[in-house]
Amino acid sequence: MKKLTLVLLALSMLMLASCKNKASGNYEYPFQNPNLSTEKRVDNIISLLTPDEKIGLMMNGSISVERLGIPAYNWWSEACHGICTSGATVFPQAIGLAATFDQDMQYDIYTMVSDEARAHWNITNHNVMDKTEATGGIWNQGLSFWCPNINIFRDPRWGRGQETYGEDPYLTGTMGSATVRGMQGDNKKYLKTHSCAKHYAVHSGPESGRHRDDVYVSMRDLWETYLPAFKELVTEADVQEVMCAYNRYEGEPCCGNDRLLVDILRNKWQYKHLVVSDCGAINNFYTKGQHETHPDAATASVDGVLSGTDIECGTSYKSLKTALADGLIKESDLDVSLRRIFTSRFELGLHDPESMDPWANLGAETMSSPEHTAMAQRAAREAMVLLKNDGILPLSKSTKTIAVVGPNADNASMQNGNYNGTPTPENTLSILNAIRKAVPGANIIYERGCELADPYLTVNHLSDLNGGKGLHGEYFNNTTMSGAPVAAVDYTNVNLRTSGDYRFAEGVEMTNFSARYTGTFVADFTGDMNYSIRGNDTWKLTVNGRTIAEQKEPTTMRFGRGMVPQTSFPVVKGRTYTVAVDYTKGETGTAYFSFNLSERKLPDYDEIAAKVADADVIIMVGGLSAQLEGEEMMVTYDGFSGGDRTKIELPEPQVKLLKAMHSTGKPVVYVNCTGSAIGFAEIENQYNALLQAWYGGQAAGIAVADILFGDYNPAGRLPVTFYASTSQLPDFRDYSMENRTYRYFSGKPLYAFGYGLSYTTFAYGDAKLSKKSVKAGKGVEITVPVTNTGAKDGDEVIQIYVKSLDNPDAPIKALKGFKRVNIAAGQTASVKITLEPDAFAYYSAAIDELAPRAGKYQILYGSSSRDEDLKALDFQVL
């Protein structure tokens, strides 16, 4: 081992020396010369590669080519709302950012995210070859980020809707473009990072069928709903990557779909950059029980490449070696993709000396800097949407006794949503602790009350082990648990994984390691001690030396998503028990391990109500979490299935708790933390105020407290419709837009798209158009006077909708402009918004695209999509 370490060190020093030589102008190969044109560098590097090397460079875990000094690189990194690493700034989940209706702040946020991305790149020193990762780089440590998710959140049951910018194509395109521009930067020579528009196209659940479903939609729905945001990011924001989706579209898998990838993306939109597959999507082509459109990996891979999927997330492209040998594809076909791949690598500066890097000065001080921390707090505040307020809010800071209840009240990790980094502890407060900080003189009564969806209340006993120290873990950098441990850690929460720079503990290898976790406790009850355990390699659980559960073979999972079914062993009060888990991680893949011990009992809602009966106000914090809604998850509670929901009502345990709180006769403020809409119709009379807090990121707790106690005047707006109940929704698997979203929904929602309350009031004057009519293909400017008629300064989101009066196939109304402005109490703002020509464009079968349409229109302006909140101007396109 010592000899191998010395060899690796020597090779690393050689590579560093090679980089220094490059900086001084001594180039072994022309592609190493940064003064040559990108085209010439690409020509040279492709000419030097063997077919096997080319294939190895076409997967997300791109191999190193040692003889040419080409480092390994992993194209897969995530930055849905901050980069996915520890110590990063965690902004509100994307759906919360959409609720800000603030595209300028969105750009600033993603400029900060890309700053942290470059800083992380510099810290991890991936400007030189990392020999330990010669077959594919390290996940989440590159400069290519697979965000934003610009799928249309067409149905609130979709678990991944939280990653999107909502249900409206215009809002999605606007926020998505700001994301791309912030991520990719404006340097004239280098791209700051890559951004990626995903998942192309017509993709939004259900999660359970995404690897086999075949989607058909009308051309009108395709062009007017599912494609506009992709088109904007491709043709206007110059996004550098597009990720093709898992599902089929019109019979062909999206990653081999000529209609989507060739006819539309490459030909109509003239897209020149990278297409990457979703992870394992090529496997879906031929795997039994999935698409089964291809007989094997080789034919699937050939189809992917020839359709323009340049980089596969996965390893099916290894079969291209067989395909070349069998004449199914030519080496020159691979070169088409390699040209785009290396153009991207050079434009990111991956092969240039550090002295030429415009962002080389960004380091550890950039991560969670004071400026970024302040922006996370601003974004969380702007994202909050006040949906109901009978006058109870804002609460007085002199309130004597406040009850805080609910399963999300003291759950700071919930605030991070999914596809998230881990913020520094000092930058994160749970909502409960933020309330305590906001009113230090108040008597705070806290009761969790119930779980999010589990009818049983779970009492965690992991923290009781070893006299309160928790589960003791010892780590070995071998798979036999031999020798002295290289690290030891005590845990009160065990949810461990390796990814990016995450390790199980400092000094522990990413693979080929083992761990022994032990703990002793004295049972304080008689009954069943429940345990949940999950690991993607091998493990064994024993209690007092007896084997309770065992996994003898590795299993495939993506980061252990989802809730794990509970099993149990009996305990008797007063007796001593020792639990031990042996875990072994093999030589490949991501390691994941979670473990918990708990007692489960039914909540006594009457008892909880009695405990809070003397409070002056009750703040209940509930909703969902990314452990219930998300990507392809193991969740089977009532109302949930595979990461999606089967109904949108609040889970029954929370309904019971809310009703118990209402029964006290005290005012109830409900804070809803979700990534999607909840159907509140049946319980809308059980709360006095409703604040939609989303998954607000690291500063969510502070933002909620600021709003509840009047330190910030809320102005967020819903980017999705909050339907009254599940009964208002069409079939989840039907991708037709009929009766979906505010653009086509004929019913009455409980809370409408674009809706949100304030602690002040605004009045809209008579708007003026720059012209009453324009020729087709021209836009128009609208000027809207808005007066703050209340006593508090506040933001208002002015929204402009277009309604076609003579096109029966058009949406009922469609958002085509918006602006968030701050208006002081008593003041009037004159807000100008330009409606671009596309505001009056609809599907044309003649050109199979969107085209400006002549006709009569109404331009609607106001504070939400509700008819009662809008005023109208007549307009004509000639």
Side-chain angles (χ1 to χ4, degrees), residues 147 206 501 670 807:
C147 72
D501 55 358
Y670 190 85
N807 178 5

Side-chain angles (χ1 to χ4, degrees), residues 480-763:
T480 58
M481 283 176 263
S482 57
V486 296
V489 184
D490 292 323
Y491 298 96
T492 57
N493 177 52
V494 181
N495 190 18
L496 305 168
R497 76 176 191 223
T498 58
S499 63
D501 55 358
Y502 287 107
R503 296 172 184 263
F504 275 34
E506 187 174 353
V508 179
E509 300 292 346
M510 306 287 279
T511 57
N512 285 322
F513 71 89
S514 54
R516 174 168 289 137
Y517 304 94
T518 57
T520 298
F521 68 94
V522 178
D524 61 0
F525 71 97
T526 295
D528 289 331
M529 177 66 79
N530 295 276
Y531 66 88
S532 64
I533 185 169
R534 194 174 184 191
N536 61 345
D537 279 75
T538 60
W539 50 262
K540 181 171 70 172
L541 168 66
T542 62
V543 177
N544 288 346
R546 183 170 65 91
T547 299
I548 298 296
E550 188 173 9
Q551 182 169 284
K552 296 181 179 181
E553 298 292 336
T555 184
T556 301
M557 66 180 73
R558 294 185 67 184
F559 321 132
R561 289 189 178 101
M563 310 290 279
V564 181
Q566 299 268 358
T567 47
S568 64
F569 58 88
V571 296
V572 177
K573 186 174 182 178
R575 293 187 182 177
T576 300
Y577 298 86
T578 297
V579 297
V581 183
D582 290 345
Y583 173 82
T584 302
K585 171 62 192 159
E587 63 182 355
T588 60
T590 297
Y592 178 83
F593 178 69
S594 69
F595 180 69
N596 194 31
L597 291 175
S598 62
E599 173 190 3
R600 285 158 51 79
K601 58 184 180 181
L602 289 171
D604 188 332
Y605 296 104
D606 292 337
E607 180 183 353
I608 299 165
K611 288 181 179 180
V612 303
D614 293 333
D616 298 306
V617 64
I618 301 170
I619 301 171
M620 179 172 166
V621 188
L624 304 174
S625 82
Q627 294 299 307
L628 288 173
E629 57 176 348
E631 183 176 5
E632 204 168 2
M633 301 166 66
M634 293 179 61
V635 182
T636 56
Y637 292 124
D638 180 44
F640 299 87
S641 177
D644 299 318
R645 289 187 287 159
T646 58
K647 55 186 177 182
I648 64 171
E649 283 72 22
L650 198 67
E652 189 62 25
Q654 295 185 62
V655 171
K656 291 178 178 178
L657 180 61
L658 180 60
K659 289 182 176 179
M661 298 302 96
H662 179 69
S663 71
T664 65
K666 299 300 175 69
V668 177
V669 177
Y670 190 85
V671 179
N672 190 55
C673 302
T674 63
S676 54
I678 297 291
F680 282 109
E682 293 186 3
I683 52 174
E684 203 267 345
N685 62 352
Q686 302 291 303
Y687 49 81
N688 301 79
L690 173 62
L691 180 66
Q692 177 62 30
W694 312 107
Y695 304 132
Q698 66 183 44
I702 295 171
V704 167
D706 285 346
I707 290 171
L708 294 182
F709 294 99
D711 290 326
Y712 183 78
N713 188 356
R717 298 292 190 267
L718 289 181
V720 290
T721 300
F722 270 46
Y723 299 94
S725 66
T726 309
S727 63
Q728 291 185 322
L729 301 177
D731 180 0
F732 188 9
R733 294 184 180 275
D734 182 0
Y735 270 73
S736 166
M737 291 306 297
E738 183 178 356
N739 212 33
R740 287 192 183 282
T741 77
Y742 82 95
R743 296 166 67 233
Y744 297 100
F745 181 53
S746 59
K748 183 176 177 58
L750 187 60
Y751 303 114
F753 175 91
Y755 179 75
L757 299 174
S758 170
Y759 292 154
T760 189
T761 54
F762 296 94

Side-chain angles (χ1 to χ4, degrees), residues 155-166:
D155 191 301
R157 289 168 288 198
W158 186 35
R160 295 192 72 181
Q162 62 181 289
E163 303 167 30
T164 76
Y165 298 120

